[in-house]
Amino acid sequence: QVQLAESGGGSVQAGDSLRLSCAASGRAFSDYHMAWFRQAPGKEREFVATISSGGLTYHADSVKGRFTISRDNAKNTLYLQMNSLKPEDTAVYYCAAGIRFVPIAIEYNDWGQGTQVTVSS
């Protein structure tokens, strides 16, 4: 089990960039696969990107080419670099840790509290 805490969200205009961080503690961060999910009001939780314990990555089609997931094992931190933000990116963003490298929310065991990202036109 790991404890996760997201930060870096905020309100920006379309075309701007944000970098989200997820600080992990409690267990060996490097042993876990990590992922970002997001949830907009009235919508189901949506997969964004995942990164394996070894650094392999997979991004959802909706963010491919704009968002980049990364990790710094020395700092026990997960990142999501978001460029060219669009209004449809507005959501609460959650980081998650799991033992499988998959883009499915139910497969992740530990979740952060979320950080709000709001993108205006």
Side-chain angles (χ1 to χ4, degrees):
Q1 303 292 314
V2 295
Q3 290 76 51
L4 305 173
E6 303 94 336
S7 62
S11 297
V12 299
Q13 295 184 353
D16 286 351
S17 297
L18 280 175
R19 189 194 194 198
L20 305 184
S21 298
C22 174
S25 62
R27 296 298 299 270
F29 174 74
S30 61
D31 290 342
Y32 289 88
H33 307 299
M34 302 294 296
W36 288 98
F37 292 82
R38 65 187 183 186
Q39 188 165 24
K43 304 293 184 180
E44 294 184 357
R45 190 161 296 189
E46 176 189 21
F47 168 76
V48 176
T50 185
I51 184 167
S52 75
S53 60
L56 299 174
T57 63
Y58 174 72
H59 297 77
D61 288 343
S62 59
V63 306
K64 196 171 299 180
R66 299 188 299 120
F67 293 8
T68 303
I69 190 171
S70 63
R71 66 194 297 162
D72 186 338
N73 288 344
K75 296 181 178 179
N76 284 4
T77 303
L78 175 75
Y79 301 100
L80 184 68
Q81 179 65 47
M82 305 186 294
N83 298 327
S84 301
L85 283 162
K86 304 175 180 179
E88 52 261 45
D89 295 319
T90 295
V92 177
Y93 283 70
Y94 299 90
C95 67
I99 61 174
R100 295 186 63 197
F101 180 50
V102 292
I104 305 171
I106 196 171
E107 296 288 345
Y108 290 83
N109 303 112
D110 301 301
W111 294 78
Q113 80 290 339
T115 185
Q116 177 71 48
V117 172
T118 302
V119 185
S120 301
S121 300

